[in-house]
């Protein structure tokens, strides 16, 4: 398959074809003119379980996928930011929240969608929150109030559960992706 990359300026018209580069075992998009290799790597998602007076900040999504479902503030990292900065930025963008990022909570390798999802503990610097552009509603939930049947993604469920397990600990290892992710309550996968 040949396609044209319009993401940058070139001194020539880049034409890509799929083939394995020298000393590589994977097929990649390579420019037939200059040899540029377009490495497509997993996306990194950064998020936070942020608290205000013991309540957890959550956002109801106003975008697909899973529009209308509840999530933690999280999203794709941007260029030249750390995962902590990305998690804080996502909280600001999705919930208009000023969050202090704390310790690493979890790292989930989601192979089926080529993502690495990283969650931190965090604390709101104030209770001032509001829906951002990608969010229809934000709320601070007590543990018993979390809308478990309306969670957007399995990783939200896992991060919340691990947060609860480690809530009294100052030091803990980051949680990995559960081996039985297909058994995550509320999520049915068919393929």
């Amino acid at each position: 398959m040949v396609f044209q990359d319009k993401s940058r300026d070139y001194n020539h018209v880049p034409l890509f074809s799929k083939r394995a580069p020298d000393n590589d075992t994977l097929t990649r998009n390579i420019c037939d003119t200059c040899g540029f290799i377009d490495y497509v790597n997993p996306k990194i998602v950064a998020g936070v379980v942020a608290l205000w007076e013991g309540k957890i900040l959550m956002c109801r999504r106003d975008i697909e996928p899973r529009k209308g479902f509840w999530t933690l503030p999280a999203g794709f990292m941007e260029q030249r930011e750390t995962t902590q900065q990305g998690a804080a930025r996502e909280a600001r963008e999705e919930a208009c929240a000023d969050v202090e990022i704390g310790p690493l909570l979890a790292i989930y390798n989601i192979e089926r969608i080529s993502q690495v999802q990283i969650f931190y503990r965090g604390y709101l610097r104030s209770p001032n929150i509001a829906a951002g552009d990608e969010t229809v509603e934000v709320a601070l939930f007590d543990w018993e109030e979390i809308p478990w049947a309306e969670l957007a993604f399995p990783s939200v469920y896992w991060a919340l559960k691990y947060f609860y397990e480690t809530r009294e600990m100052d030091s803990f290892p980051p949680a990995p992706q559960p081996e039985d992710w297909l058994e995550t309550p509320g999520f049915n996968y068919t393929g």
Side-chain angles (χ1 to χ4, degrees):
M1 178 174 145
V2 177
F3 67 95
Q4 291 190 5
D5 176 11
K6 298 189 188 288
S7 67
R8 64 187 90 207
D9 291 330
Y10 290 91
N11 292 332
H12 62 279
V13 175
L15 295 173
F16 288 80
S17 60
K18 286 192 174 288
R19 61 184 188 278
D22 294 339
N23 301 316
D24 199 340
T25 58
L26 298 175
T27 302
R28 307 193 186 274
N29 293 315
I30 302 174
C31 179
D32 296 325
T33 305
C34 70
F36 172 81
I37 302 169
D38 183 22
Y39 290 96
V40 179
N41 297 62
K43 299 289 186 188
I44 300 173
V45 171
V48 60
V49 178
L51 297 179
W52 177 259
E53 296 181 351
K55 294 185 177 195
I56 298 170
L57 173 64
M58 296 190 72
C59 306
R60 188 186 294 266
R61 294 174 59 83
D62 197 26
I63 59 170
E64 294 295 349
R66 308 286 286 168
K67 183 176 181 175
F69 286 83
W70 288 93
T71 189
L72 296 167
F76 294 113
M77 288 185 61
E78 297 294 344
Q79 295 290 325
R80 295 175 180 80
E81 72 179 357
T82 66
T83 53
Q84 295 93 332
Q85 290 168 335
R89 178 186 48 76
E90 287 293 336
R92 203 169 39 256
E93 289 178 1
E94 295 180 0
C96 301
D98 184 13
V99 173
E100 179 182 334
I101 300 298
L104 178 63
L105 179 68
I107 301 173
Y108 303 124
N109 297 295
I110 317 294
E111 293 176 43
R112 72 190 190 301
I113 55 174
S114 296
Q115 289 183 6
V116 177
Q117 298 184 4
I118 301 170
F119 287 90
Y120 291 89
R121 284 186 184 176
Y123 301 93
L124 288 157
R125 291 188 175 106
S126 84
N128 299 327
I129 58 174
D133 290 342
E134 299 178 354
T135 308
V136 69
E137 178 183 3
V138 293
L140 294 168
F141 289 106
D142 282 318
W143 182 255
E144 305 79 35
E145 299 171 332
I146 292 172
W148 296 103
E150 299 175 50
L151 296 182
F153 308 107
S155 56
V156 172
Y157 177 90
W158 305 332
L160 286 168
K161 288 293 191 174
Y162 193 65
F163 167 81
Y164 191 77
E165 282 177 37
T166 62
R167 70 191 179 283
E168 302 295 329
M169 298 179 191
D170 291 328
S171 179
F172 51 89
Q177 176 179 325
E179 290 183 24
D180 60 346
W181 70 269
L182 286 171
E183 303 301 318
T184 303
F187 299 92
N188 298 318
Y189 291 96
T190 58

